[in-house]
Amino acid sequence: MSGMHAMPERRAGAADAEAGPPGKVDLHCHTNASDNTFGAADVVRQAAEAGVAALAITDHDTTAAVEEASRLGRSLGVEIVPGIEISAYDYERKRRAHILGLFIDPAHPALAALCDPIVERRTRLSYEMTERLAAAGYDIAWDDVLRYAGPGGAAFKQHIMHALVDRGYANHLFGELYRRLFSRGENGEPGIAHLPMRYVDARDAIRAVLDAGGIPVLAHPGQLRNFEAIPEWVDCGLQGLEVLHPSHSEEDLSRAAQAAAEYGLLVTGGSDFHGGYGDARWPLGSMDAGAESLATLRERALRNAGAR
């Protein structure tokens, strides 16, 4: 299957000019519509400065930033791929899973129907977490947290932690205090502010992306240990696999590339950029999926649109 295979060692700067416009292709990025410290305009400007020719805006459970990013992208010469990252769950194996949707119709009602309740649940839990912290003696109020919530309407743990840093409780967002407060308890007791989040079934996320004319892609399968579910999700309509991701070890890269080849999945990759809420070692464009991958994805998107 032409265009299905990727070179796992690909990093920034490896795009093939003959397969499309020159420049890097970053197919996983966030804005402050979810959990990035930068708004859509700043993200697109940074992408242009980093030599990114195509950037997928894939905020968690919202497409609120896609329109603004697209407008600025046109003026700066950055192609914006409309996307989303749906917070899902593998209920058979009791593991979280993230489903990317690339080349979606951002206004499709299937996405809102599935994702709006996720945003509402996340924000309600963040409010309850904030109340717990206040009851435990932390000088924090809900308005302090909402200061950092963006146009997507959701408040995240990162926003709570940002408010705590502002209050002087820590010098860093993701240090010992973050672990003590928000740990899920996988290796011990959960944090004092941890509250379990209910996610949507990964199969429903895949179907919603397909309904919206997009390409469903399993994000960073090595990070969330999702490899075992791939055959089942292919049967549900999964069409792509994120091979290149900052969290992936060389073993993850190899295993993901092999899985993509075995199941005929399109290969993607991206920096998963979160600004100040992410790892500074992985800026925009630090993972380059390549122009050939972008061209193959675009062809599939056209086929998906024709099948609707």
Side-chain angles (χ1 to χ4, degrees):
M1 288 178 154
S2 166
M4 297 284 184
H5 300 260
M7 299 180 10
E9 68 273 19
R10 185 188 290 275
R11 290 295 190 273
D16 302 319
E18 67 273 18
K24 304 168 191 173
V25 175
D26 190 334
L27 297 174
H28 191 162
C29 170
H30 300 269
T31 76
N32 70 346
S34 61
D35 55 345
N36 190 327
T37 51
F38 296 111
D42 284 334
V43 167
V44 176
R45 289 189 190 98
Q46 289 181 48
E49 291 168 1
V52 174
L55 179 69
I57 300 295
T58 53
D59 280 311
H60 292 288
D61 312 309
T62 181
T63 60
V66 170
E67 184 178 352
E68 180 185 358
S70 297
R71 285 198 305 268
L72 186 58
R74 285 190 290 271
S75 67
L76 295 179
V78 178
E79 177 185 352
I80 299 300
V81 176
I84 195 168
E85 184 173 19
I86 300 177
S87 305
Y89 201 74
D90 177 356
Y91 281 92
E92 181 175 339
R93 298 164 190 84
K94 304 295 187 289
R95 295 172 188 169
R96 291 180 298 136
H98 288 178
I99 303 298
L100 292 168
L102 300 178
F103 288 101
I104 56 166
D105 171 1
H108 197 282
L111 297 176
L114 187 71
C115 293
D116 285 357
I118 303 175
V119 172
E120 292 167 6
R121 284 196 297 272
R122 177 178 284 117
T123 300
R124 184 175 66 252
L125 285 177
S126 292
Y127 174 78
E128 293 174 8
M129 290 176 188
T130 303
E131 291 292 290
R132 277 194 178 192
L133 291 172
Y138 288 89
D139 181 17
I140 185 173
W142 184 232
D143 285 345
D144 300 329
V145 177
L146 289 180
R147 183 183 310 157
Y148 298 106
F156 285 74
K157 289 180 295 185
Q158 292 90 326
H159 300 142
I160 300 173
M161 194 63 215
H162 204 154
L164 290 171
V165 169
D166 284 349
R167 293 289 188 179
Y169 289 106
N171 294 322
H172 306 287
L173 287 169
F174 301 114
E176 175 58 30
L177 182 63
Y178 182 86
R179 290 187 292 273
R180 190 165 73 245
L181 298 181
F182 300 111
S183 169
R184 290 188 174 89
E186 287 125 345
N187 300 310
E189 288 294 316
I192 65 169
H194 172 69
L195 290 169
M197 171 76 177
R198 181 168 57 86
Y199 299 105
V200 300
D201 191 295
R203 293 167 295 187
D204 292 332
I206 290 167
R207 294 185 189 107
V209 171
L210 289 171
D211 288 344
I215 301 167
V217 175
L218 176 59
H220 41 66
Q223 183 183 55
L224 297 181
R225 300 180 297 123
N226 300 130
F227 286 110
E228 296 171 21
I230 289 174
E232 297 170 21
W233 293 346
V234 167
D235 289 342
C236 292
L238 186 71
Q239 296 181 347
L241 194 61
E242 186 175 51
V243 174
L244 296 173
H245 186 270
S247 71
H248 277 179
S249 65
E250 289 301 319
E251 180 182 352
D252 292 332
L253 283 167
S254 176
R255 191 174 180 185
Q258 290 173 8
E262 180 177 356
Y263 295 103
L265 296 170
L266 302 174
V267 168
T268 76
S271 64
D272 201 358
F273 180 65
H274 285 81
Y277 295 147
D279 190 330
R281 295 175 299 172
W282 302 104
L284 283 164
S286 56
M287 288 282 173
D288 180 11
E292 183 179 354
S293 174
L294 178 66
T296 307
L297 288 161
R298 191 182 289 111
E299 290 171 7
R300 176 60 64 87
L302 288 172
R303 284 166 50 192
N304 287 356
R308 289 168 66 187

